[in-house]
Amino acid sequence: MAKSQQTFNKTEKEKKRLKKREEKRKKMEARKAKAKESDKKGIQFAYVDYNGNLTDTPPDPSLRVEIDVEDIAISVPKTLAEDIEEVDPVHKGTVSFFDSSKGFGFIIDAEDQEKYFTHVSGLIDEIAENDKVSFELEQGMKGLNAVKVTLQK
């Protein structure tokens, strides 16, 4: 005689599914009964007043304001040439640490005292600790890196 294909786990899942379906049916019947008792007919409306708030009363037509379609702007305002600020990409600073055997070091910016990583591949001149240098910043893997590092005279 063959063994039943219905396992205990399958029967439990089936019971849960049927129970969930029955609960859903009961909730639906309760909502229908509540709707009949409340005697409200039709759909309840929500109106938007002139400030954009939801209200249950219709807006007053005398407060209605006409707006021309041309006055509506759906874009970012254009930046004018005089609004663009000129930024010098060259920073000045002091070498706080440089290990020539490993090929990396750190430069402290003279303006904001931020410390920037530099690598030997970003050097133009040979540098050592406490040298005054000028450099540019470039986004690296872990933050801004100093590149095009040159000695200041």
Side-chain angles (χ1 to χ4, degrees):
M1 184 152 86
K3 191 173 181 182
S4 172
Q5 295 296 316
Q6 191 87 9
T7 62
F8 177 75
N9 196 19
K10 286 182 181 178
T11 55
E12 287 297 312
K13 285 183 181 178
E14 182 68 19
K15 285 179 186 177
K16 282 184 182 179
R17 191 174 62 79
L18 291 173
K19 184 179 177 184
K20 195 173 186 181
R21 184 184 287 174
E22 183 63 25
E23 287 175 2
K24 191 174 180 181
R25 188 185 60 76
K26 284 180 183 178
K27 286 180 185 177
M28 186 179 70
E29 287 175 0
R31 280 195 306 267
K32 284 183 181 178
K34 187 176 180 182
K36 285 182 181 180
E37 290 174 6
S38 66
D39 291 333
K40 288 189 178 178
K41 295 182 179 161
I43 301 170
Q44 293 180 350
F45 287 101
Y47 299 97
V48 179
D49 65 1
Y50 62 94
N51 288 326
N53 300 320
L54 293 176
T55 62
D56 56 350
T57 58
D60 187 12
S62 65
L63 297 175
R64 186 174 178 167
V65 178
E66 288 292 324
I67 299 174
D68 292 331
V69 175
E70 291 81 24
D71 294 342
I72 300 172
I74 309 177
S75 65
V76 177
K78 294 181 181 177
T79 55
L80 302 173
E82 61 262 10
D83 294 342
I84 299 173
E85 210 174 288
E86 291 292 325
V87 178
D88 187 20
V90 179
H91 297 263
K92 293 179 174 36
T94 307
V95 179
S96 65
F97 169 79
F98 189 76
D99 188 351
S100 58
S101 64
K102 294 187 179 177
F104 74 92
F106 294 95
I107 298 174
I108 297 177
D109 195 348
E111 287 181 20
D112 57 5
Q113 302 302 313
E114 280 287 322
K115 199 178 248 190
Y116 298 109
F117 174 82
T118 187
H119 189 264
V120 72
S121 63
L123 301 180
I124 294 175
D125 297 334
E126 291 288 323
I127 61 171
E129 288 185 25
N130 298 323
D131 283 346
K132 301 282 185 198
V133 293
S134 62
F135 59 95
E136 293 182 17
L137 294 176
E138 185 178 90
Q139 186 65 38
M141 295 280 285
K142 296 183 179 178
L144 292 173
N145 293 343
V147 293
K148 299 181 183 175
V149 179
T150 58
L151 283 173
Q152 280 187 322
K153 278 114 180 143

